[in-house]
Every structure is written in C-alpha cells, then in structure tokens.
Amino acid sequence: MSTETQELPEQGEIILATITKVMDHGAYVTLDEYNGIQGFLHVSEIAPGWIRSVGKFVKQGEKKVLLVKRVNSERGDIDLSLKQVSTDQKKRKLLEAKRFEKGKTLINSVKESAKLSDNDVEKIEEAIYAKYDSIYDAFLDIARKGESVLNELKISKKIATAIKDVCEKIRLPSVEIRGILELTNNQPDGVEVIKKILLDVIKKEKESNVQITYLGAPKYRISVSAQDFKSAERSLKPIIEEIQKSIEKKKGSFKFSREESKKTRET
C-alpha cells in the first residue's frame, strides 16, 4: 500500500506500534494509529548501551510505545525510538489507547442497539469530537450528567435513547480518600456526644459520599468518594474541620491521620 495517500505521523510524536519482524539490526513495526503503515526501530534506539540480542527487548506481535524520530514523507520512511520514551509518556499513551478502545466498544454497542448504519455512526462521532477529545470522554460525561449532555449533541431521540442505555451500564471511575479519626470525650454522655456529631456530619454531607465506620474506641474511619482526588480532598477538608470544631467545643480531644487513597478502575 502506498504511503503517498496516507497520513504520516509527525516527528516527536508518541505512537503505539506492533512489532512485525525482528532482526539483528532492529525491528520493523506497523503503526496502529496510522492504518498499519510501516516504520523501523533501529537496534541503537531500542535500549541504552550495547545490545547482544534484539529479541530480548522486542518480540514479534508485541505492542510498544515509540517516539517518532524522523519522517521522510517522500520515501515514506519512519524511524522510531523505544529508548527515548519516558515512563510517563508510555503510561499516558497506553491509557489513551485503552480509552480509545473502550470508546469503540461503547459506540459499537449503540450501533447494534439502535441498528445504525456506518454513516449514522460517523455523524455521531463528528458531533462528539466537536465537543470532546474522545468518544469515551463523551460517554463518561453523559453517564455523569445525563440528558443535558445528549441535548447539546443534537442527535435524534432514537440514538439518544440508545446512548443513554449504554451509559447507564458504565461504572464511573472514582477515587476514595480516607483516614482515621481518634475522638474522645470524658463527659458522662461522651460516647453519645461523639455519635451525634458524626451522624450530623453524614446527614449534612449526603452529596459528598461520606462514610464513617466505627473501628473500636476511640477510632473511626472516615472515607470520601468522588470522581477525582481534587474533588475528594475539597469535600473532606471542611468535614474534618467541622468534626474537630464540634468535638473540641464539647471539651473532647481530636486527632486525624491519613490512610492510603484508592482509585477504582474505569469500565
């Protein structure tokens, strides 16, 4: 296939590629995001230092995140590097590829559910890419905000219903931050005072997904769930401040220590 009519990557771009042929002096790859056009990974760009066996670092059929070093548009030659890709660049690229595949799966579910043509799907994707960086981002936003997002996309009711049905099955990514509260109150009704303070906080913070679990006197675990760490921290801070203020007002003692945060997987 001629590369003259194909889009080529730009120098400095981070791409995802599949190793197709391993040789002593390097490896040929196909570029996953550019219709499988071919590039070359020279042995000197695979890893630092002298390499005795290319096959120890890359294997046929394996996917690699690579840097585009040089592009010769006239000849269609693409020189690539593995050793110049940082760990952060690799993580970001793999996450981007994963989200792209999830987007494809979601849009295919809509296509099957609403019995859409390829042309219909193309129009939906055009509407989505006009507002979002990816299909997956759009579906996540719809799952969180509902019909208001669908209305902005200006798509037919039939397609909107199919998208909504698919989005209802998405498990939204979230984070949980938590810590240990050590609360004491030496008054005769101290235990009841502490319970009331914590129950009042939970009632007041229904929107913040706050949970408080009794671990055994004087310890309680508090956790806050949100869609990202920044939002969770923003919710937790005033809650902790309110508990501290209420406990100390009742002549009690307060101590808070953080635990390891958790992040759920996107599905």
PDB file of all heavy atoms in Angstrom, residues 191-203:
ATOM      1  N   VAL A 191     -19.797   9.368  74.756  1.00  0.00           N
ATOM      2  CA  VAL A 191     -19.980   8.493  73.588  1.00  0.00           C
ATOM      3  C   VAL A 191     -21.146   8.979  72.734  1.00  0.00           C
ATOM      4  O   VAL A 191     -21.060   9.023  71.500  1.00  0.00           O
ATOM      5  CB  VAL A 191     -20.208   7.031  74.026  1.00  0.00           C
ATOM      6  CG1 VAL A 191     -20.553   6.167  72.811  1.00  0.00           C
ATOM      7  CG2 VAL A 191     -18.972   6.483  74.721  1.00  0.00           C
ATOM      8  N   GLU A 192     -22.230   9.352  73.399  1.00  0.00           N
ATOM      9  CA  GLU A 192     -23.403   9.850  72.673  1.00  0.00           C
ATOM     10  C   GLU A 192     -23.109  11.176  71.982  1.00  0.00           C
ATOM     11  O   GLU A 192     -23.604  11.436  70.879  1.00  0.00           O
ATOM     12  CB  GLU A 192     -24.590  10.016  73.636  1.00  0.00           C
ATOM     13  CG  GLU A 192     -25.115   8.713  74.210  1.00  0.00           C
ATOM     14  CD  GLU A 192     -25.486   7.713  73.128  1.00  0.00           C
ATOM     15  OE1 GLU A 192     -26.139   8.124  72.143  1.00  0.00           O
ATOM     16  OE2 GLU A 192     -25.124   6.523  73.254  1.00  0.00           O
ATOM     17  N   VAL A 193     -22.313  12.006  72.626  1.00  0.00           N
ATOM     18  CA  VAL A 193     -21.916  13.295  72.030  1.00  0.00           C
ATOM     19  C   VAL A 193     -21.159  13.060  70.723  1.00  0.00           C
ATOM     20  O   VAL A 193     -21.436  13.680  69.692  1.00  0.00           O
ATOM     21  CB  VAL A 193     -21.038  14.105  73.009  1.00  0.00           C
ATOM     22  CG1 VAL A 193     -20.374  15.287  72.290  1.00  0.00           C
ATOM     23  CG2 VAL A 193     -21.871  14.605  74.177  1.00  0.00           C
ATOM     24  N   ILE A 194     -20.206  12.133  70.760  1.00  0.00           N
ATOM     25  CA  ILE A 194     -19.407  11.820  69.563  1.00  0.00           C
ATOM     26  C   ILE A 194     -20.286  11.257  68.454  1.00  0.00           C
ATOM     27  O   ILE A 194     -20.186  11.658  67.285  1.00  0.00           O
ATOM     28  CB  ILE A 194     -18.276  10.828  69.915  1.00  0.00           C
ATOM     29  CG1 ILE A 194     -17.249  11.507  70.822  1.00  0.00           C
ATOM     30  CG2 ILE A 194     -17.598  10.300  68.643  1.00  0.00           C
ATOM     31  CD1 ILE A 194     -16.216  10.568  71.412  1.00  0.00           C
ATOM     32  N   LYS A 195     -21.174  10.312  68.809  1.00  0.00           N
ATOM     33  CA  LYS A 195     -22.069   9.712  67.813  1.00  0.00           C
ATOM     34  C   LYS A 195     -22.932  10.761  67.128  1.00  0.00           C
ATOM     35  O   LYS A 195     -23.117  10.742  65.914  1.00  0.00           O
ATOM     36  CB  LYS A 195     -22.968   8.665  68.479  1.00  0.00           C
ATOM     37  CG  LYS A 195     -22.286   7.353  68.752  1.00  0.00           C
ATOM     38  CD  LYS A 195     -23.287   6.358  69.337  1.00  0.00           C
ATOM     39  CE  LYS A 195     -22.633   5.018  69.602  1.00  0.00           C
ATOM     40  NZ  LYS A 195     -23.590   4.057  70.211  1.00  0.00           N
ATOM     41  N   LYS A 196     -23.464  11.691  67.945  1.00  0.00           N
ATOM     42  CA  LYS A 196     -24.335  12.739  67.393  1.00  0.00           C
ATOM     43  C   LYS A 196     -23.569  13.648  66.422  1.00  0.00           C
ATOM     44  O   LYS A 196     -24.077  14.000  65.351  1.00  0.00           O
ATOM     45  CB  LYS A 196     -24.940  13.578  68.507  1.00  0.00           C
ATOM     46  CG  LYS A 196     -25.963  14.604  68.008  1.00  0.00           C
ATOM     47  CD  LYS A 196     -26.591  15.380  69.132  1.00  0.00           C
ATOM     48  CE  LYS A 196     -27.700  16.307  68.624  1.00  0.00           C
ATOM     49  NZ  LYS A 196     -27.301  17.170  67.511  1.00  0.00           N
ATOM     50  N   ILE A 197     -22.352  14.004  66.788  1.00  0.00           N
ATOM     51  CA  ILE A 197     -21.535  14.860  65.928  1.00  0.00           C
ATOM     52  C   ILE A 197     -21.300  14.180  64.570  1.00  0.00           C
ATOM     53  O   ILE A 197     -21.448  14.789  63.505  1.00  0.00           O
ATOM     54  CB  ILE A 197     -20.192  15.189  66.602  1.00  0.00           C
ATOM     55  CG1 ILE A 197     -20.428  16.151  67.769  1.00  0.00           C
ATOM     56  CG2 ILE A 197     -19.203  15.802  65.606  1.00  0.00           C
ATOM     57  CD1 ILE A 197     -19.218  16.352  68.661  1.00  0.00           C
ATOM     58  N   LEU A 198     -20.951  12.900  64.603  1.00  0.00           N
ATOM     59  CA  LEU A 198     -20.661  12.164  63.369  1.00  0.00           C
ATOM     60  C   LEU A 198     -21.924  11.940  62.530  1.00  0.00           C
ATOM     61  O   LEU A 198     -21.885  12.060  61.294  1.00  0.00           O
ATOM     62  CB  LEU A 198     -19.998  10.830  63.699  1.00  0.00           C
ATOM     63  CG  LEU A 198     -18.634  10.921  64.404  1.00  0.00           C
ATOM     64  CD1 LEU A 198     -18.078   9.534  64.676  1.00  0.00           C
ATOM     65  CD2 LEU A 198     -17.639  11.728  63.575  1.00  0.00           C
ATOM     66  N   LEU A 199     -23.036  11.637  63.183  1.00  0.00           N
ATOM     67  CA  LEU A 199     -24.299  11.449  62.455  1.00  0.00           C
ATOM     68  C   LEU A 199     -24.747  12.754  61.795  1.00  0.00           C
ATOM     69  O   LEU A 199     -25.242  12.746  60.663  1.00  0.00           O
ATOM     70  CB  LEU A 199     -25.382  10.950  63.405  1.00  0.00           C
ATOM     71  CG  LEU A 199     -25.309   9.473  63.787  1.00  0.00           C
ATOM     72  CD1 LEU A 199     -26.312   9.161  64.891  1.00  0.00           C
ATOM     73  CD2 LEU A 199     -25.562   8.586  62.568  1.00  0.00           C
ATOM     74  N   ASP A 200     -24.568  13.873  62.486  1.00  0.00           N
ATOM     75  CA  ASP A 200     -24.930  15.179  61.920  1.00  0.00           C
ATOM     76  C   ASP A 200     -24.114  15.477  60.670  1.00  0.00           C
ATOM     77  O   ASP A 200     -24.628  16.027  59.688  1.00  0.00           O
ATOM     78  CB  ASP A 200     -24.719  16.290  62.957  1.00  0.00           C
ATOM     79  CG  ASP A 200     -25.772  16.266  64.056  1.00  0.00           C
ATOM     80  OD1 ASP A 200     -26.798  15.579  63.866  1.00  0.00           O
ATOM     81  OD2 ASP A 200     -25.573  16.924  65.102  1.00  0.00           O
ATOM     82  N   VAL A 201     -22.835  15.098  60.697  1.00  0.00           N
ATOM     83  CA  VAL A 201     -21.957  15.323  59.539  1.00  0.00           C
ATOM     84  C   VAL A 201     -22.433  14.492  58.348  1.00  0.00           C
ATOM     85  O   VAL A 201     -22.531  14.991  57.218  1.00  0.00           O
ATOM     86  CB  VAL A 201     -20.489  14.955  59.884  1.00  0.00           C
ATOM     87  CG1 VAL A 201     -19.650  14.850  58.609  1.00  0.00           C
ATOM     88  CG2 VAL A 201     -19.895  15.992  60.809  1.00  0.00           C
ATOM     89  N   ILE A 202     -22.744  13.228  58.585  1.00  0.00           N
ATOM     90  CA  ILE A 202     -23.192  12.350  57.498  1.00  0.00           C
ATOM     91  C   ILE A 202     -24.490  12.860  56.875  1.00  0.00           C
ATOM     92  O   ILE A 202     -24.649  12.870  55.653  1.00  0.00           O
ATOM     93  CB  ILE A 202     -23.380  10.906  58.017  1.00  0.00           C
ATOM     94  CG1 ILE A 202     -22.024  10.308  58.394  1.00  0.00           C
ATOM     95  CG2 ILE A 202     -24.051  10.034  56.961  1.00  0.00           C
ATOM     96  CD1 ILE A 202     -22.107   8.968  59.079  1.00  0.00           C
ATOM     97  N   LYS A 203     -25.433  13.285  57.726  1.00  0.00           N
ATOM     98  CA  LYS A 203     -26.716  13.808  57.218  1.00  0.00           C
ATOM     99  C   LYS A 203     -26.504  15.055  56.375  1.00  0.00           C
ATOM    100  O   LYS A 203     -27.146  15.262  55.348  1.00  0.00           O
ATOM    101  CB  LYS A 203     -27.646  14.126  58.388  1.00  0.00           C
ATOM    102  CG  LYS A 203     -28.223  12.898  59.076  1.00  0.00           C
ATOM    103  CD  LYS A 203     -29.048  13.298  60.292  1.00  0.00           C
ATOM    104  CE  LYS A 203     -29.555  12.079  61.045  1.00  0.00           C
ATOM    105  NZ  LYS A 203     -30.272  12.455  62.283  1.00  0.00           N
TER     106      LYS A 203
END
